[in-house]
Amino acid sequence: MRLARKRPWVVVGLGLGLALATMAACGSGSSGSSGMPDENAATGTPIKVGFFRPDSGVATLPGVGAGMKAAVSYVNGELGGIDGHPIAVEDCSIDGTPETTISCANKFVQDGVVAAFDGFNLSSSAGVDTLVAAKIPLIGQIPFDQTTGSKAEGRLFFGAPQASFLVGALQGFKAEGMTSATLTVQDTPSGHNTVDTELKPLAAAMGIKATGLYFSPTNPNFSAVASTIASTSPDVAGLIASPSESICTQLVRNLRSIGYKGAVFVAACTAFIKSDPASAPGATLYSSIWLPGSEKNAPAEVGQQIALATKYIDKAGGPADYYAYGQFATVVDFAKGLATAASTDELTGQTVLTTLRSLKDFPSFLGPRITCGIPTTPDCTTQMLLFTVEKDLTLKPVSGGWITPLPAILSTIPGAS
């Protein structure tokens, strides 16, 4: 079925400390409740981008849409756009299947976008060839599709590759004396690929016994999954990756309810901390960025960035989860990175990719300093954060800050270094 085409949307927000205004089209400016125009609002020719929006199917991630809306509001309003040019978004719904990804990639070509935001798409590789042929770069935070992350052609991710999070987490576990891990993931081809080509070989290279288990993407039984995990008596148990926050909450609750006392690993989930605070302390999660709750352990400027992102994400309607902050950071890095171009008046897909690949020692939003354009990888860094949930429900970095996964281990995974 052909997806309905939508008009591009441009969100224009007022400056920090003023009321947020959202508009469905670009124009000569925006007005707040006072009726006065916002002096920072972008009024130049819009920069049209595509957005793979994961808002249907089993891979629904509402935080991604909230983060996109919030970031565009911030960039177009408070930052004045990209050198005066507002971001105009052509969004397209995906459900995690190759079919919807292909349909959206074709739509973006027809719409003439100069970049397409990945949106944590599990099937992004299905549309890469179409985008590459049209010279439209794919931009994201983490390549959730391992095939997409295996090559650098026509794509760029501001965060680390998938393998970094597994390697970094395993390094953290080993440093704390853990020698066995049983982790679960969705029962999909991508999930099996992650277990067979990443988890098992990476753990073996680090001297950790790893077991991979699977749960149904449509009808998971987390009571049974938790029991199976616990039966292996691992030092650490949990998720390799999670398609939703509710899955994390259910698994953590079931592991604790059957008496599992070991370490719990919850991928990039955070909502369980509020929804089930009694089970949260002691859990470990990974992230490509600093997250709310980590402020007391983060640099001062990070706390300011978290507050800024939270303000806009809340006004966008949330949820304020990892995916919202990750997408927010991606759009901000995209905008600030493109602002370094000699001219933004006539951007093309090729100039967008060339400009972003030229970023060196770039201070990413909520992330580390990054260097892009490495020929062997689409990722601008390999660094990641591993947090433990404290008794007061704050987040503490396992190593005090950024973890750099062992290069020798990462080099065994195509595109990871």
Side-chain angles (χ1 to χ4, degrees), residues 112-289:
V113 305
V114 297
F117 284 93
D118 175 82
F120 299 91
N121 186 355
L122 292 169
S123 299
S124 59
S125 60
V128 166
D129 288 346
T130 298
L131 296 176
V132 168
K135 296 183 178 180
I136 298 172
L138 181 68
I139 308 297
Q141 179 68 201
I142 304 170
F144 266 26
D145 185 324
Q146 187 179 1
T147 301
T148 298
S150 66
K151 295 181 180 179
E153 181 184 18
R155 67 211 78 172
L156 183 141
F157 293 85
F158 293 112
Q162 268 193 34
S164 276
F165 298 95
L166 276 177
V167 174
L170 292 170
Q171 283 180 207
F173 299 152
K174 188 171 183 178
E176 295 185 347
M178 301 178 191
T179 60
S180 62
T182 299
L183 305 176
T184 186
V185 69
Q186 273 189 312
D187 192 357
T188 62
S190 177
H192 281 265
N193 195 31
T194 297
V195 169
D196 294 338
T197 66
E198 291 192 5
L199 174 63
K200 290 182 178 179
L202 293 173
M206 300 178 67
I208 294 176
K209 179 185 177 182
T211 301
L213 300 176
Y214 306 95
F215 60 86
S216 168
T218 56
N219 189 30
N221 182 340
F222 287 105
S223 176
V225 171
S227 294
T228 302
I229 290 175
S231 70
T232 65
S233 301
D235 292 330
V236 59
L239 291 153
I240 296 174
S242 177
S244 72
E245 291 279 357
S246 65
I247 283 176
C248 294
T249 300
Q250 292 178 66
L251 183 59
V252 172
R253 184 174 294 140
N254 277 279
L255 282 169
R256 294 307 190 198
S257 69
I258 63 173
Y260 175 75
K261 302 295 185 182
V264 175
F265 181 52
V266 294
C269 296
T270 56
F272 76 98
I273 298 173
K274 289 185 177 180
S275 63
D276 193 8
S279 300
T284 304
L285 60 126
Y286 60 61
S287 179
S288 61
I289 54 174

Side-chain angles (χ1 to χ4, degrees), residues 193-416:
N193 195 31
T194 297
V195 169
D196 294 338
T197 66
E198 291 192 5
L199 174 63
K200 290 182 178 179
L202 293 173
M206 300 178 67
I208 294 176
K209 179 185 177 182
T211 301
L213 300 176
Y214 306 95
F215 60 86
S216 168
T218 56
N219 189 30
N221 182 340
F222 287 105
S223 176
V225 171
S227 294
T228 302
I229 290 175
S231 70
T232 65
S233 301
D235 292 330
V236 59
L239 291 153
I240 296 174
S242 177
S244 72
E245 291 279 357
S246 65
I247 283 176
C248 294
T249 300
Q250 292 178 66
L251 183 59
V252 172
R253 184 174 294 140
N254 277 279
L255 282 169
R256 294 307 190 198
S257 69
I258 63 173
Y260 175 75
K261 302 295 185 182
V264 175
F265 181 52
V266 294
C269 296
T270 56
F272 76 98
I273 298 173
K274 289 185 177 180
S275 63
D276 193 8
S279 300
T284 304
L285 60 126
Y286 60 61
S287 179
S288 61
I289 54 174
W290 290 94
L291 295 171
S294 67
E295 290 90 340
K296 74 177 185 180
N297 297 304
E301 64 269 21
V302 168
Q304 296 168 4
Q305 291 176 349
I306 290 174
L308 185 152
T310 299
K311 175 182 178 179
Y312 279 90
I313 290 169
D314 286 348
K315 288 181 177 179
D321 57 15
Y322 163 77
Y323 297 102
Y325 287 89
Q327 187 63 34
F328 190 98
T330 300
V331 177
V332 173
D333 288 340
F334 173 83
K336 291 187 175 182
L338 279 188
T340 65
S343 173
T344 56
D345 291 334
E346 295 182 5
L347 287 175
T348 65
Q350 190 58 52
T351 57
V352 167
L353 187 58
T354 299
T355 300
L356 295 180
R357 281 180 170 169
S358 70
L359 298 177
K360 309 295 181 187
D361 198 32
F362 180 77
S364 65
F365 189 87
L366 293 178
R369 301 189 77 89
I370 60 176
T371 293
C372 306
I374 301 170
T376 56
T377 177
D379 302 284
C380 297
T381 184
T382 62
Q383 291 184 296
M384 53 82 71
L385 290 162
L386 188 66
F387 294 113
T388 55
V389 182
E390 301 291 277
K391 290 183 179 180
D392 63 359
L393 304 183
T394 60
L395 301 178
K396 181 179 180 180
V398 168
S399 64
W402 294 99
I403 293 175
T404 301
L406 297 170
I409 304 296
L410 284 182
S411 66
T412 64
I413 304 295

